[in-house]
Amino acid sequence: MFGCLVAGRLVQAAPQQVAEDKFVFDLPDYENINHVVVFMLGTIPFPDGMGGSVYFCYPDQSGMAVWQLLGFVTNEKPSAIFKISGLKSGKGSQHPFGAMNLPQTPTVAQIGISVELLENLAQQTPVASAAVSSVDSFTEFTQKMLDNFYNFASSFAVTQAQMTPNPSEAFIPANVVLKW
Amino acid sequence: MFGCLVAGRLVQAAPQQVAEDKFVFDLPDYENINHVVVFMLGTIPFPDGMGGSVYFCYPDQSGMAVWQLLGFVTNEKPSAIFKISGLKSGKGSQHPFGAMNLPQTPTVAQIGISVELLENLAQQTPVASAAVSSVDSFTEFTQKMLDNFYNFASSFAVTQAQMTPNPSEAFIPANVVLKW
C-alpha cells in the first residue's frame, strides 16, 4: 500500500504494520539521509474521508524515540518528498505511535504512517523545514483538506440519516480501515 | 525495472521502452512539476559495468524536443531526486534519444533513461540546477564512477585475453543489454 524511498538508495515497498492503521519503515544509517520520499503504491486507495500522516522518528541522545510530523499523503496527493536532514536536533511533536515502543537503535530512524480521518489531519501542523516542494505547500494542502472535509461531511450527512442513533459509536467505524 | 514519481502524484512503474536500452516516462502537465524521483524497482539490476543516464525532455516554443541531462542511476545509487522546475528555459544538451522523434504535446514532458557503459556516464555532466541532495553530489558520483570504472576495466582485461582480436567489434557486445 505504501512505498518509501531514501534518495540514493533502493525503494522499500513493504512496511512493518505495527497496528491496524499504522505502518513503519526503517531508515538505517539515517544520519546520512537528506531526503525521503513517501508514496502510495497505487494499488489500494485510502478509504473515503481518510488519509495518512507521515512522521519521522529518530532516537535522541538517551535512546528515546523523538517523533516529528513531516506531512501527509492522501488519495489526491499520493506522494511527497521530505527533507529530514535538518530535523535531527528538533523537538518532538504529538504523535499517535506513543504506546508502541518501537525498538530504538542508535543509527536507525523510522518513517511512520498513521491512517486517520482527513479532518484530523487538517488540524495537525507539520514541521515547516520538512517541506521540499513549494507546490506541495502546507497552504495548498490545507485548502485541499478543507475541500476534502466538505466532501467528506456531505457524504456523512447521507450516511447518518441511515444509521441507528448510537452515541457510543465512533464517527467512522474502525473496520473501514480493517477492510481496506 | 525503473520507476518514476512526480512529487504529489501517483508513482509510475511502467515506462515505454522506445529502444533496446532506452526507456521513457510521460510527465503530463509538466509546468506544474517541481521535483521528479527516478529509481530502480529493485527487481533487475544493471548489467555489470552499466548504469542509466536520466534525461528531462520538454517541448520548446516551436514544439521541438529539448533534452537535458539530469543525472544518473546505478546499482550503487539506485535512486535520485531531481528538481526540474528551473530547467524549462535552459538550453538542450547532447543526448542519445535523437532519432526517436517522440511525439511532442505542449503540456507533456518526458523522463528518458538511457542504459550505457559507466565509463560513458562518467564523461557526461548533468545540469547543475537539477541536483537536489548534497549527499548525491556530482563529485561523489564521479568518485564512484571512477571506482566502478576501475572494477569494470579490471574485469575487461580478463575478458579481452579470451577474445579473438577484431577491431570492428564494439567494446561491450550490444547483446549484454538485450539479455538483461
Side-chain angles (χ1 to χ4, degrees), chain A residues 5-11 32-37 39-42 76-81 132-136, chain B residues 5-11 32-37 39-42 76-81 132-136:
Chain A
L5 189 148
V6 172
R9 303 186 187 175
L10 265 181
V11 64
N32 289 316
I33 296 176
N34 277 356
H35 293 90
V36 175
V37 186
F39 59 99
M40 300 176 67
L41 297 179
E76 288 71 33
K77 182 176 160 295
S79 64
I81 302 174
V132 163
S133 177
S134 61
V135 167
D136 311 328
Chain B
L5 190 149
V6 173
R9 302 186 187 175
L10 265 182
V11 65
N32 289 317
I33 295 176
N34 278 354
H35 294 89
V36 176
V37 187
F39 58 99
M40 300 177 68
L41 297 179
E76 288 72 33
K77 182 175 160 292
S79 63
I81 302 175
V132 163
S133 178
S134 61
V135 167
D136 310 329

Side-chain angles (χ1 to χ4, degrees), chain B residues 111-131:
Chain B
I111 289 289
I113 303 171
S114 173
V115 180
E116 301 180 17
L117 291 173
L118 291 174
E119 56 168 354
N120 289 349
L121 300 189
Q123 293 168 14
Q124 301 167 13
T125 307
V127 287
S129 56

Side-chain angles (χ1 to χ4, degrees), chain B residues 32-97:
Chain B
N32 289 317
I33 295 176
N34 278 354
H35 294 89
V36 176
V37 187
V38 175
F39 58 99
M40 300 177 68
L41 297 179
T43 46
I44 308 170
F46 286 108
D48 280 352
M50 306 200 83
S53 55
V54 181
Y55 289 84
F56 176 56
C57 170
Y58 65 96
D60 70 8
Q61 290 185 333
S62 58
M64 298 296 289
V66 178
W67 293 82
Q68 292 186 318
L69 179 62
L70 298 179
F72 312 96
V73 287
T74 64
N75 290 340
E76 288 72 33
K77 182 175 160 292
S79 63
I81 302 175
F82 303 109
K83 182 172 169 61
I84 64 164
S85 48
L87 302 182
K88 293 157 195 169
S89 56
K91 279 195 174 176
S93 54
Q94 282 197 314
H95 66 88
F97 294 85

